[in-house]
Amino acid sequence: MEKFIWLSYDLGIKGDYQGIYSWLDDHGAKECGDSVAALSFSYEGGDFFEALKADLEADVSLDRHSRIYVVRQENGKLKGRFLFGKRQRAPWTGYGTYLEQDEDED
């Protein structure tokens, strides 16, 4: 089977960027901005996310700082999840213009 995906990666300061770049190049990925790539991923069947995770682990050295997020389309809907790592506090938190107003009590 083949699925078109977007892959976002943050491997930290000492991450295996050579490994991920090699993996992306081998899969014919297209650059889509800082640390984002688009590509078609082929796998034999079974769970898509597990197949992609195993393929990445075979070529890229990952540690506890590594984060890889993948988005794919399934049945007309976009689905995304972290293959490695988890969501962190967004660097833009607190920059918005939304102000919370406190209620005064008499």
Side-chain angles (χ1 to χ4, degrees):
M1 301 176 87
E2 187 171 281
K3 299 280 184 186
F4 181 81
I5 63 170
W6 292 273
L7 193 80
S8 172
Y9 54 93
D10 175 5
L11 306 182
I13 295 171
K14 297 180 181 178
D16 181 15
Y17 287 94
Q18 184 174 351
I20 192 104
Y21 293 160
S22 177
W23 187 89
L24 290 167
D25 196 26
D26 288 346
H27 287 81
K30 302 293 182 200
E31 186 271 343
C32 295
D34 291 343
S35 300
V36 179
L39 61 121
S40 290
F41 179 72
S42 297
Y43 65 108
E44 295 298 318
D47 184 72
F48 165 79
F49 291 110
E50 290 304 316
L52 179 57
K53 188 174 179 176
D55 198 57
L56 280 160
E57 286 179 313
D59 291 338
V60 183
S61 296
L62 301 163
D63 62 22
R64 65 184 183 93
H65 301 288
S66 302
R67 298 186 324 138
I68 297 179
Y69 189 83
V70 63
V71 177
R72 72 175 175 133
Q73 188 171 5
E74 182 179 309
N75 300 324
K77 294 182 181 181
L78 293 176
K79 292 190 173 201
R81 75 179 237 197
F82 278 94
L83 293 177
F84 304 95
K86 61 184 178 180
R87 195 170 310 281
Q88 297 178 351
R89 182 175 179 263
W92 55 83
T93 300
Y95 282 88
T97 57
Y98 173 76
L99 298 175
E100 251 184 69
Q101 294 184 3
D102 295 328
E103 282 189 20
D104 293 331
E105 292 183 317
D106 291 322

